[in-house]
Amino acid sequence: KVGEDIVNFGRVNKIFDIKGETLYYKPFFEEPHTGGIICSIPLKSLETSNIRKPISKDLCMTICKDLKTRINIREYMDANDMTTLYNTNKETDLVRVLKLLNQESKEREHGLSTSKKTIFDKAYASFVQECAYARQTSIDEAEAFVNKYLN
């Protein structure tokens, strides 16, 4: 529905038009690299896509608190598995990627590999954006909020 917000490929977007059988949306937050970008998806493809609603303020808070809890890791996941998990666009998988990679970066002497760091950065940016949306704050304020729980 026009005016609703969605999450697709780790970014919060606003639906601004529906013409015929096509839904049009654009980034909710303006960023230098998204300048003027407009996306579309056929309505019939919505059910098979990974598009979802953004998280709520309460869920943002619950997730942030959960980021502080330690996971018992027997074996670290490889970068390909982390990418697959991130690409599901499910908030539970996003948080799992963030949590696992954050913990791994603290436990490993040399931190994360380049590919895992890239995945972490994507997951982090996605989660920060959703928290900014949910808490109705700027990206910078949401970043500071999330960092309190990651560090």
Side-chain angles (χ1 to χ4, degrees), residues 78-135:
D78 70 27
N80 289 334
D81 291 340
M82 288 290 188
T83 300
T84 300
L85 200 57
Y86 171 75
N87 286 336
T88 66
N89 199 40
K90 294 178 182 170
E91 64 270 8
T92 52
D93 291 341
L94 171 64
V95 173
R96 187 157 182 239
V97 167
L98 258 182
K99 197 170 179 172
L100 288 169
L101 290 177
N102 186 53
Q103 187 171 324
E104 183 176 339
S105 73
K106 290 175 180 177
E107 292 176 356
R108 289 209 168 183
E109 185 178 335
H110 301 291
L112 297 173
S113 66
T114 303
S115 55
K116 284 187 176 182
K117 175 78 172 111
T118 299
I119 298 162
F120 177 83
D121 290 344
K122 284 182 182 180
Y124 175 79
S126 297
F127 185 63
V128 164
Q129 196 174 94
E130 282 203 68
C131 281
Y133 173 85
R135 300 180 81 239

Side-chain angles (χ1 to χ4, degrees), residues 1-6 13-18 23-25 43 46 53:
K1 177 169 134 178
V2 173
E4 287 187 352
D5 302 312
I6 57 173
N13 298 280
K14 179 165 281 307
I15 299 170
F16 70 90
D17 200 4
I18 299 174
L23 180 134
Y24 295 90
Y25 57 97
L43 292 173
L46 277 176
K53 297 259 186 210

